[in-house]
Amino acid sequence: MDISLLRDAVPPLLEWFRVSKRDLPWRRNRTPYTALVAELMLQQTRVEAVKDRFVQFLAAFPTPEALASADEEEVLKLWEGLGYYSRARNLHRAAKVIAEKGFPATFEEMRALPGVGDYTAGAVCSIALGLPVPAVDGNVLRILSRLYADGSNIDDPSTKAGYAALLREVYPPETADFCEALMELGAIVCVPNGAPMCGACPWSGLCRAHLAGREEAFPVRAEKRARRTVDATVCGLRCGGRYALEKRPAKGLLAGLWQFPFFEGDVPDFGPVLKEKRAKHIFTHVEWRMTGRLIETERELAPYIWVGAEELREKYAVPSAFRAFMEWVK
């Protein structure tokens, strides 16, 4: 692949980023720890959803040591609404490693932290440690495949590896700006799920896909797997102002998190249904189609734990999949 094209693309990208970058909370007073928190929060989560939660999380856990000493339930509660809770558990475990050994100084050490893959390790190294290590995600693959009008399947690991190798060859001294500029271009100009805004792009005079009028022909991806559907019943069991909760299994979707009693298939007869509503929640490969039932029980039933409304809201991390049924908690 022609390295000179990407080398020519670096200066206009950096200049564009200096002028056009968004003011985001993790770009202020950056440290390696705050960069790690931000990158894990931003995985598969919208920037707007992360902004306030990032600030709240850092207020509660301003250092790796503070996070390491926290209770897991407290960490999960502050993560509530961001989804993919395994990231919170991994960040908690990583903080314990950092508190004991100090913050990693190399890509290999960063990569060895719990829950940290090549992309996150590369991002933190580039943004916070000044190391020229590529962070290649969907945004970066999209803008580079359009720059080169490259028809390679971006879901193929070899395509990502090829672009990472290419980026290493052109990394400028401004490692943080370069890493974030690549992400930013893919987030706000060469956008996913929409037409690229080529008139605002610093690469409009270089981009081979744009020059050929074929921007939306790239990137090329493998056909998506059909999403599986699951029909379930969610029982909002209430007894004297207290509500039943149970923990999900230790493995699988929303592992180890709290939920209202959840059934796939037959549902026990808990008593008359006071209210009923339907909701759905879409995961990457599964869609839950849920029927929620509010039921007043005569006694607190085993094996559930029973908690008051205020305690439920303040202490227990109930995933956003069940948000539609939280209106019953009063």
Side-chain angles (χ1 to χ4, degrees):
M1 203 170 283
D2 180 10
I3 189 68
S4 63
L5 175 59
L6 186 55
R7 189 170 285 121
D8 290 344
V10 172
L13 177 66
L14 290 174
E15 182 58 33
W16 168 82
F17 183 68
R18 293 185 189 106
V19 173
S20 303
K21 65 181 177 182
R22 291 170 291 178
D23 179 22
L24 300 172
W26 44 90
R27 290 177 178 167
R28 311 167 200 154
N29 304 316
R30 182 184 285 128
T31 68
Y33 170 62
T34 61
L36 178 62
V37 172
E39 289 305 321
L40 286 174
M41 281 191 169
L42 288 163
Q43 286 178 6
Q44 298 178 288
T45 305
R46 296 178 300 105
V47 164
E48 291 303 316
V50 171
K51 282 181 179 179
D52 290 342
R53 194 52 52 87
F54 173 82
V55 173
Q56 294 164 5
F57 197 90
L58 266 295
F61 311 122
T63 64
E65 292 75 18
L67 178 56
S69 63
D71 180 76
E72 183 180 278
E73 290 291 347
E74 185 183 2
V75 176
L76 293 176
K77 183 61 181 176
L78 275 169
W79 201 272
E80 192 174 43
L82 292 177
Y84 300 96
Y85 285 83
S86 61
R87 297 174 300 163
R89 291 193 175 95
N90 284 329
L91 179 56
H92 194 201
R93 288 195 284 266
K96 293 179 180 180
V97 174
I98 295 166
E100 179 183 348
K101 299 181 178 180
F103 207 89
T106 67
F107 173 81
E108 290 73 22
E109 291 174 354
M110 186 73 64
R111 183 66 175 77
L113 289 176
V116 174
D118 288 347
Y119 170 78
T120 299
V124 176
C125 284
S126 291
I127 292 168
L129 300 181
L131 301 176
V133 184
V136 182
D137 67 351
N139 281 334
V140 175
L141 287 168
R142 183 169 58 259
I143 65 174
L144 293 181
S145 68
R146 286 174 174 167
L147 178 67
Y148 280 92
D150 178 14
S152 302
N153 175 9
I154 65 168
D155 295 314
D156 188 329
S158 66
T159 303
K160 179 181 287 190
Y163 278 124
L166 201 64
L167 287 166
R168 286 190 198 96
E169 293 295 318
V170 303
Y171 238 94
E174 306 93 328
T175 60
D177 278 0
F178 185 55
C179 180
E180 290 205 289
L182 291 166
M183 300 177 195
E184 193 85 335
L185 188 65
I188 66 174
V189 175
C190 201
V191 295
N193 305 318
M197 293 174 276
C198 299
C201 182
W203 288 355
S204 59
L206 296 169
C207 177
R208 291 176 179 174
H210 175 63
L211 295 173
R214 301 184 62 230
E215 300 94 340
E216 296 192 61
F218 306 96
V220 172
R221 307 203 66 162
E223 187 174 342
K224 286 188 177 181
R225 188 172 67 180
R227 187 179 287 122
R228 182 169 61 91
T229 60
V230 171
D231 292 315
T233 303
V234 179
C235 293
L237 304 182
R238 184 175 66 194
C239 180
R242 289 161 63 83
Y243 298 82
L245 291 176
E246 64 180 359
K247 266 199 171 183
R248 288 189 58 79
K251 294 184 178 180
L253 279 176
L254 307 178
L257 297 177
W258 294 100
Q259 66 180 6
F260 301 113
F262 182 94
F263 301 92
E264 296 178 37
D266 294 337
V267 182
D269 183 6
F270 292 114
V273 176
L274 304 180
K275 293 182 181 180
E276 186 170 288
K277 69 179 301 183
R278 298 186 186 280
K280 69 177 180 179
H281 190 80
I282 297 174
F283 300 93
T284 305
H285 301 300
V286 181
E287 178 180 326
W288 281 354
R289 296 175 180 172
M290 297 174 285
T291 299
R293 296 175 180 173
L294 177 63
I295 301 169
E296 189 80 34
T297 64
E298 295 182 355
R299 57 189 175 86
E300 295 184 0
L301 304 170
Y304 310 116
I305 69 162
W306 293 77
V307 299
E310 184 176 355
E311 185 183 10
L312 194 160
R313 290 195 192 94
E314 293 184 0
K315 181 178 177 181
Y316 292 89
V318 178
S320 58
F322 305 108
R323 184 175 295 152
F325 311 117
M326 284 296 290
E327 68 182 39
W328 292 339
V329 179
K330 297 177 181 178

